[in-house]
Amino acid sequence: MSEPVVDAALAREHGLSNEEYERACSALGRVPSFTELGVFSVMWSEHCSYKSSRVHLSRLPTKGRRVIQGPGENAGVVDIGDGWTAVFKMESHNHPSYIEPYQGAATGVGGILRDVFTMGARPVALMNSLRFGAPDHPKTRGLMTGVVAGIAGYGNAIGVPTVAGDVQFDSAYNGNILVNAFALGVAKKDKLFYGRAAGVGNPILYVGARTGRDGIHGATMASAEFDEESEAKRPTVQVGDPFMEKLLLEACLEIFNANILEGVQDMGAAGLTSSTVEMAGRAGTGVELDLDLVPRRAKKLLPYEILLSESQERMVMVARKGMEDRVLEICKKWDLDACVIGRVTDTGRWVIKATPGYDPLSGEPLPSEDQKKVFVDIPVPVLTDDAPKYERPCVEDPRKQERFAFDASALPFDGKTDLLSLLSSPNVGSRAWVYRQYDHIVRVGTAVRPGAADAAVIRVFCDDSMTGTTPMPREKWLAVKSDCNGRFCELDPKTGAQMAVAEVCRNLACVGAEAIGLTDCLNFGSAQRPEIMAQFRDAIDGMRDACLALDVPIVSGNVSLYNETEGADGPQAILPTPMLGAVGLFDKPNDVVTMGFKRSGDVVALLGPVGEGALGGSEFVWTKTGKIQGKPPTIDLAMEARLQKLLVSLARRGLLSSAHDCAEGGIAVALAECTIATNTGATVSVPNGTSTASALFGEDPTRVIVSFLPQQEELVRRAASEAAVPLLVLGKTGGDSLSLEGGPSWTVYELAVAHAKALEPVVG
């Protein structure tokens, strides 16, 4: 079979612009072969090269006292003490999950797990952040049920608990859902592994599942807008096998413990191509591969297909010379395919050889060296550091001032019914339908189950048995949470991103954990649109400001652009959604604080400023109008930093009975959730009166509802005063109702019923 003739038109079909095609020709000094064109197509895609985002990402703070490895590796690494580290990352699988919800979401989980255990870490927790279209959109139910089933199917089968996440709905996601997967692992500080093809002459091994045609050009698809043909792209969606991944995980950890590798990387987006190119790029070496040796499960695979396949559960390993047989021996023990497919060179070039027409599945003998042909010969830097990088034009969103002009005070208001309406909103109420499908207690480390606190709390058994050697028991307590309010980012990307960072770290502080590191998943529309790039630029600046103010670095992440769909009125982009995943560390197990009121007679108080009662972009406005409008809240980052330090300090001193962040739905919803969690009522007085919607439902940040014993009130007041954080006593816990002094009252039962049925409009 002859290869197609490569020209500018074919390059455009592969997602390259005319300028990029000319650049590729110039870099090679000739026209690329068809296989080389495929390689340029994936390695210069947004998904792999970050060509439109790198210039902005460089402004993010990525270093800190605990940071061991920041962005640029498979996952970020932070020090958690006693010679142990937390290894974590978040990544998107948006486009595949829209096309094939179950497999798209399942392979997103599998991929993020490999990113973590390829660093030498044993995965201990999973988390996900999901965004779907309007609850009544005809596709939302099928997409949501498929995605949740895919996440559960993979995570439950491999035996890693899914402990946290968040779900939101908005019509902006009707044609482009978001599925962001997070994984956390632990590793010994002196047993970390990196994705580097180091050591000239060292053998390169292929380990894991055999290569098929699934996922070819998945990275390119993830770098393009959706159109009418998108749902016909199921061949570009990978198919996962969690049982194979379990074997791969255990084999990798045993190989790592044997100390026989120089580098390792999973085959994720762009498969064998990106993994080996990136390994060579980090090490400053070259790579030579022989595709005749690659294990296959599909007949008559072309070199183009082998290189671009995104078949799951596969790893690339660079063994120390002479140690390859030991790698093969361990893989055989775990019933994994493994073989040497190449070597590290000193040429600085990525060279791929294969025998034209050879198919090992046909039973043919392995061809001799003189039968092989060079299909690819590209300098490594051309595909890595020297890949295109753009500073795209930015233009402010012209709708901003019109949206800010909306006056929410004119909306009809009834405190009694509006609270029940908000609690039953799909964006506010119970997520039990989702998390009950996940095994969140496997490995017996989940200390606080989903729905009980502002963040998940896990006990990690840090001992050498994690990596298969002599046990030395040691425990660490960690918290994880993900969050982002895309509505605030839509109205004001910079402030919205500041609030996203602040809220996810505040969630950790509410459970008593110190935030020690962040990972991000930056979901935006088309990089070709100046207003989208302005959103991206401003969001990065907002994240930077918040990270610096809170002293929390970003150690890993992912950018997902082109999340939009062609519509009748032009492209319809998602809400700008810079998703944050946060990891926190506890000083001791007794520091853990949950959200529910614990007993009658406790003092209920608001920590943080009362706020202005901002309703812009709020759930209250959205439920009343179905639109994102109004002037959003602002945030005082210095006050936020003081509040979070105060919360952690109070938790460590054992002064808090409960703590819960005021977020969607404002103070009223936060109070209701505190009562629902433990079936304990309260009588309170909400600041600024109870006759206005803004007092109850405004979503100003930097506010936390806390409760504590009456005899601890003076200590809490003194600590708040010393921290320069306002404290306002609202009332006391007790009874079976939530009662507002001078206002309405709700039984805890009716609040719980409204809260429990939130997802019924979506899933029935």
Side-chain angles (χ1 to χ4, degrees):
M1 178 179 174
S2 60
E3 292 190 338
V5 175
V6 174
D7 56 19
L10 186 61
R12 285 194 297 272
E13 291 179 19
H14 279 68
L16 298 180
S17 67
N18 289 342
E19 293 76 13
E20 287 169 345
Y21 172 65
E22 292 173 4
R23 183 170 178 168
C25 293
S26 176
L28 297 179
R30 55 178 170 78
V31 172
S33 69
F34 177 64
T35 306
E36 288 172 330
L37 179 63
V39 169
F40 278 112
S41 152
V42 293
M43 292 307 299
W44 284 7
S45 68
E46 294 281 3
H47 194 78
C48 291
S49 74
Y50 294 86
K51 58 189 176 186
S52 298
S53 56
R54 275 187 290 164
V55 66
H56 299 293
L57 295 175
S58 63
R59 301 198 296 278
L60 292 173
T62 58
K63 297 182 178 178
R65 60 189 175 86
R66 291 185 179 272
V67 177
I68 295 172
Q69 176 63 56
E73 266 290 344
N74 290 291
V77 185
V78 295
D79 195 327
I80 57 175
D82 298 317
W84 285 84
T85 66
V87 181
F88 57 96
K89 188 182 181 184
M90 179 181 281
E91 187 135 342
S92 63
H93 233 224
N94 305 335
H95 287 51
S97 299
Y98 183 85
I99 295 169
E100 214 311 303
Y102 186 96
Q103 290 296 349
T107 52
V109 173
I112 200 64
L113 283 169
R114 290 193 301 280
D115 280 341
V116 166
F117 72 73
T118 193
M119 300 289 292
R122 177 175 288 280
V124 296
L126 289 164
M127 177 169 65
N128 56 77
S129 294
L130 312 177
R131 296 293 182 269
F132 297 103
D136 59 354
H137 189 273
K139 289 188 177 180
T140 298
R141 175 178 295 192
L143 289 168
M144 184 173 180
T145 55
V147 164
V148 172
I151 292 170
Y154 207 100
N156 296 355
I158 198 172
V160 179
T162 301
V163 298
D166 67 306
V167 184
Q168 295 289 313
F169 302 86
D170 192 277
S171 59
Y173 304 105
N174 282 349
N176 202 127
I177 64 174
L178 302 184
V179 176
N180 293 175
F182 167 99
L184 166 72
V186 294
K188 294 193 74 173
K189 192 174 181 179
D190 60 355
K191 293 284 188 180
L192 291 167
F193 285 82
Y194 298 95
R196 295 166 191 170
V200 173
N202 279 336
I204 298 172
L205 291 95
Y206 175 116
V207 175
R210 298 186 173 200
T211 295
R213 289 188 170 88
D214 48 326
I216 293 174
H217 271 301
T220 309
M221 179 192 70
S223 306
E225 305 94 333
F226 274 169
D227 54 29
E228 293 179 357
E229 299 178 2
S230 293
E231 291 186 62
K233 294 181 179 178
R234 282 186 171 81
T236 64
V237 177
Q238 312 93 322
V239 177
D241 180 351
F243 303 104
M244 172 69 77
E245 180 122 332
K246 176 63 173 174
L247 297 176
L248 184 62
L249 163 62
E250 299 301 337
C252 283
L253 293 179
E254 185 171 341
I255 290 168
F256 297 159
N257 192 59
N259 199 26
I260 52 180
L261 296 185
E262 286 292 344
V264 57
Q265 175 131 336
D266 79 292
M267 295 190 220
L272 184 59
T273 293
S274 65
S275 55
T276 53
V277 167
E278 290 169 3
M279 292 178 81
R282 294 187 191 113
T285 58
V287 161
E288 184 176 294
L289 302 179
D290 184 348
L291 299 188
D292 291 351
L293 304 173
V294 171
R296 312 177 193 190
R297 57 178 169 80
K299 292 183 177 180
K300 298 181 179 179
L301 284 173
L302 300 173
Y304 179 102
E305 295 172 311
I306 296 171
L307 289 174
L308 303 189
S309 168
E310 293 184 10
S311 295
Q312 297 292 285
E313 293 87 38
R314 302 180 302 161
M315 306 285 276
V316 173
M317 296 182 180
V318 176
R320 292 176 179 165
K321 198 167 185 178
M323 296 293 183
E324 56 268 37
D325 287 344
R326 179 64 179 135
V327 175
L328 297 173
E329 178 186 338
I330 295 172
C331 290
K332 183 177 180 181
K333 168 188 169 182
W334 289 99
D335 199 24
L336 292 172
D337 281 302
C339 60
V340 176
I341 62 168
R343 63 188 180 91
V344 180
T345 70
D346 61 0
T347 64
R349 302 185 74 84
W350 192 67
V351 178
I352 307 299
K353 298 189 297 182
T355 302
Y358 172 65
D359 183 3
L361 297 181
S362 67
E364 301 174 51
L366 189 67
S368 62
E369 189 66 26
D370 60 4
Q371 293 177 277
K372 301 182 190 299
K373 170 188 171 184
V374 173
F375 278 81
V376 179
D377 186 353
I378 304 175
V380 171
V382 170
L383 300 174
T384 55
D385 294 342
D386 296 340
K389 181 168 69 172
Y390 302 121
E391 187 161 2
R392 307 256 188 210
C394 298
V395 173
E396 294 294 337
D397 189 338
R399 303 170 297 172
K400 187 173 181 178
Q401 294 308 315
E402 179 184 346
R403 288 177 165 185
F404 278 21
F406 175 77
D407 182 9
S409 64
L411 293 173
F413 166 71
D414 182 308
K416 176 76 175 180
T417 59
D418 283 344
L419 177 56
L420 296 175
S421 176
L422 284 171
L423 284 173
S424 62
S425 163
N427 282 330
V428 173
S430 171
R431 270 77 181 105
W433 180 89
V434 177
Y435 62 71
R436 283 176 181 166
Q437 298 184 55
Y438 304 150
D439 187 341
H440 48 264
I441 59 173
V442 65
R443 298 189 59 84
V444 299
T446 307
V448 176
R449 298 189 183 189
D454 282 20
V457 179
I458 55 172
R459 177 179 56 169
V460 178
F461 303 98
C462 292
D463 57 60
D464 286 355
S465 63
M466 299 289 290
T467 50
T469 57
T470 306
M472 294 183 350
R474 192 179 288 115
E475 287 183 359
K476 291 291 179 182
W477 289 68
L478 301 172
V480 294
K481 185 65 172 75
S482 62
D483 219 320
C484 178
N485 189 324
R487 295 176 184 166
F488 292 153
C489 295
E490 173 80 354
L491 292 170
D492 186 339
K494 183 174 181 179
T495 302
Q498 289 175 342
M499 290 198 289
V501 171
E503 182 171 357
V504 77
C505 294
R506 190 186 317 126
N507 291 151
L508 299 182
C510 282
V511 298
E514 173 197 0
I516 59 173
L518 296 173
T519 182
D520 62 47
C521 202
L522 308 178
N523 307 275
F524 289 79
S526 171
Q528 308 296 325
R529 295 169 58 194
E531 65 273 23
I532 299 296
M533 286 312 299
Q535 289 178 344
F536 189 89
R537 175 201 63 195
D538 294 347
I540 291 291
D541 289 342
M543 291 168 59
R544 177 201 60 206
D545 293 348
C547 288
L548 292 174
L550 301 177
D551 192 24
V552 185
I554 292 177
V555 299
S556 60
N558 166 239
V559 176
S560 177
L561 300 176
Y562 298 95
N563 289 289
E564 60 181 45
T565 311
E566 284 298 327
D569 300 323
Q572 305 295 312
I574 62 165
L575 302 183
T577 313
M579 190 65 66
L580 278 302
V583 174
L585 179 66
F586 291 92
D587 190 45
K588 54 188 181 300
N590 292 343
D591 295 348
V592 176
V593 180
T594 55
M595 74 163 69
F597 294 144
K598 299 300 181 292
R599 64 190 72 82
S600 295
D602 274 3
V603 177
V604 178
L606 177 70
L607 276 180
V610 170
E612 300 176 354
L615 287 170
S618 68
E619 184 69 20
F620 176 79
V621 170
W622 190 81
T623 56
K624 296 281 186 179
T625 70
K627 296 180 180 179
I628 300 172
Q629 53 191 344
K631 190 171 182 179
T634 57
I635 185 168
D636 180 341
L637 291 172
M639 174 64 76
E640 181 70 43
R642 297 198 298 273
L643 171 66
Q644 293 186 22
K645 288 179 182 177
L646 172 63
L647 286 166
V648 174
S649 173
L650 292 173
R652 289 179 175 177
R653 294 171 63 185
L655 295 178
L656 296 180
S657 299
S658 69
H660 185 33
D661 172 37
C662 297
E664 288 85 1
I667 286 178
V669 165
L671 286 165
E673 290 172 337
C674 292
T675 69
I676 294 167
T678 52
N679 197 33
T680 301
T683 299
V684 296
S685 176
V686 175
N688 293 340
T690 59
S691 60
T692 64
S694 62
L696 290 175
F697 308 127
E699 296 182 8
D700 299 272
T702 322
R703 302 183 300 168
V704 174
I705 299 293
V706 297
S707 67
F708 43 83
L709 292 167
Q711 57 266 37
Q712 307 283 27
E713 181 173 346
E714 183 55 35
L715 290 175
V716 175
R717 282 188 179 277
R718 188 182 309 156
S721 176
E722 291 172 354
V725 174
L727 181 150
L728 179 66
V729 171
L730 303 179
K732 289 193 174 182
T733 62
D736 60 1
S737 298
L738 173 62
S739 302
L740 301 184
E741 292 184 357
S745 177
W746 307 261
T747 67
V748 176
Y749 176 77
E750 67 180 320
L751 295 174
V753 168
H755 190 253
K757 67 181 183 181
L759 294 181
E760 286 183 6
V762 184
V763 296

